[in-house]
Amino acid sequence: MIDWPGIWAAVAARVAAHRAAGRGHLLTEDTVRLETVLVLEQFGVAPGRLAAEVLAPELAGGKLDLVVDPPGGVAVELKYPRDSRTGFSPDTMTFGELLRDFLRVAAVPADDRWVVQLLNDRLARYVINACLRHGLAWPEAVGGTMTLPASALAGLPVTAVRAIGAAAVSGTVSATCAVIEPAGEGLLLYAFRIDQLPAAELVTGVITAGVDASEAAAHTDAAVIAKRSSREGARAEILAAAQAVVSRSGQNAFTMPEVIAEMRRRGTGYAESTIRTMIGAHLCADATGVGTAGYADFTRDGRGRYRFRSSGAVR
């Protein structure tokens, strides 16, 4: 029997030690995953029982950050969003990314499912207030429950809905907050145990703003494929993936391969050539000529690198 609350408390303590030693600016989600592996080993879980970036059929090619005793053991998703250094800080997109992990993990059959998120004080306040505004419940104490009804998620701001993307489901996802631990000054580690969503409540596709849950559940496979093949659908996935890359790395810029790898991890249905064309031509403010869509979400930042336009709005 694994003492998961004890493990997450120990991970929080190790993150706090990094920050106290002056390494806070170097912390990423990969650091948190490695610390989780090391703590699991201290608690008697041998490295041979662990696997990272595990493909899950239920996620249409998407991957889980960490699994103990794969494939059906304990699924873990980790999130450590960091405030943008560019001035482009779309809290609604980050909010959608945070909720997305709950939906993804709930869809995976496993003996146990965890979502662990490190949030700074500012972002935690934003998430709590956003949940209140949109009829969601974000636990502020250990033992509190969280419910994510599809109808409430469909009414989130457009940027948040786009960040959730293909992880949308037709039912209600529920979770229990098992741990809230300080990870150094101004940072909290939240650990949620996720209830599995019944298979009958899964929807393959994207819930768009203004579409209620019953309409989303009624989408046919043909409609889903058509939506995923649209330019706007590709743009939404790319924006969410790029934001995840810069949040995780703490860098201002990103590369096409990084975004492509992130989209593949999430189970994208878009070809690499499509993603490259979208980033280099349709979404880049510096692109000119016939056939460019002119969204102007990104600008070039040297050879092979891009960044969000700090003054550009996602339209």
Side-chain angles (χ1 to χ4, degrees):
M1 189 72 174
I2 300 176
D3 176 14
W4 284 105
I7 284 168
W8 300 129
V11 170
R14 294 178 73 108
V15 170
H18 279 298
R19 300 179 71 214
R23 295 187 291 270
H25 64 294
L26 301 174
L27 288 175
T28 66
E29 284 177 21
D30 286 336
T31 309
V32 178
R33 177 164 55 186
L34 176 58
E35 291 297 350
T36 300
V37 169
L38 295 175
V39 169
L40 280 166
E41 190 171 358
Q42 290 180 347
F43 276 67
V45 180
R49 295 175 57 188
L50 306 177
E53 300 294 327
V54 177
L55 282 167
E58 297 77 18
L59 302 180
K63 298 178 181 179
L64 296 166
D65 288 335
L66 189 67
V67 177
V68 181
D69 299 325
V74 182
V76 176
E77 279 290 289
L78 304 166
K79 188 74 73 189
Y80 181 25
R82 301 173 62 169
D83 287 335
S84 170
R85 299 176 182 177
T86 64
F88 184 92
S89 182
D91 284 336
T92 51
M93 182 181 290
T94 302
F95 183 43
E97 290 280 345
L98 294 171
L99 298 180
R100 186 177 192 274
D101 279 355
F102 290 85
L103 306 181
R104 294 178 78 251
V105 174
V108 176
D111 295 336
D112 206 358
R113 288 159 301 279
W114 289 90
V115 166
V116 178
Q117 300 178 339
L118 284 156
L119 307 181
N120 63 45
D121 287 345
R122 188 201 65 78
L123 184 56
R125 287 193 300 270
Y126 172 84
V127 169
I128 291 168
N129 291 331
C131 283
L132 288 173
R133 286 196 304 271
H134 297 286
L136 305 172
W138 182 273
E140 297 185 59
V142 171
T145 58
M146 183 174 189
T147 55
L148 302 175
S151 56
L153 295 177
L156 294 176
V158 173
T159 310
V161 174
R162 286 174 177 166
I164 290 172
V169 298
S170 63
T172 297
V173 169
S174 58
T176 302
C177 182
V179 173
I180 302 177
E181 284 286 333
E185 184 178 357
L187 189 67
L188 289 174
L189 181 146
Y190 293 82
F192 298 90
R193 178 170 262 136
I194 313 300
D195 298 321
Q196 185 167 344
L197 191 72
E201 295 186 352
L202 299 179
V203 173
T204 301
V206 179
I207 289 182
T208 55
V211 177
D212 66 24
S214 61
E215 290 179 76
H219 280 177
T220 63
D221 288 342
V224 170
I225 291 171
K227 187 166 190 65
R228 287 176 64 85
S229 65
S230 69
R231 177 179 289 172
E232 189 62 36
R235 177 187 179 230
E237 286 195 25
I238 291 168
L239 290 177
Q243 180 59 34
V245 169
V246 298
S247 294
R248 189 162 55 236
S249 69
Q251 302 297 314
N252 294 336
F254 58 88
T255 65
M256 284 189 186
E258 288 173 329
V259 172
I260 291 167
E262 176 66 18
M263 290 177 69
R264 284 178 174 167
R265 187 181 75 83
R266 296 161 177 243
T268 186
Y270 293 104
E272 179 176 332
S273 58
T274 300
I275 299 170
R276 288 183 175 277
T277 299
M278 287 291 295
I279 295 175
H282 301 308
L283 306 186
C284 182
D286 302 311
T288 59
V290 178
T292 57
Y295 288 113
D297 296 300
F298 306 140
T299 187
R300 293 194 179 98
D301 186 52
R303 184 176 178 82
R305 296 177 65 81
Y306 298 82
R307 67 169 67 221
F308 282 98
R309 294 183 70 204
S310 58
S311 59
V314 175
R315 300 197 297 270

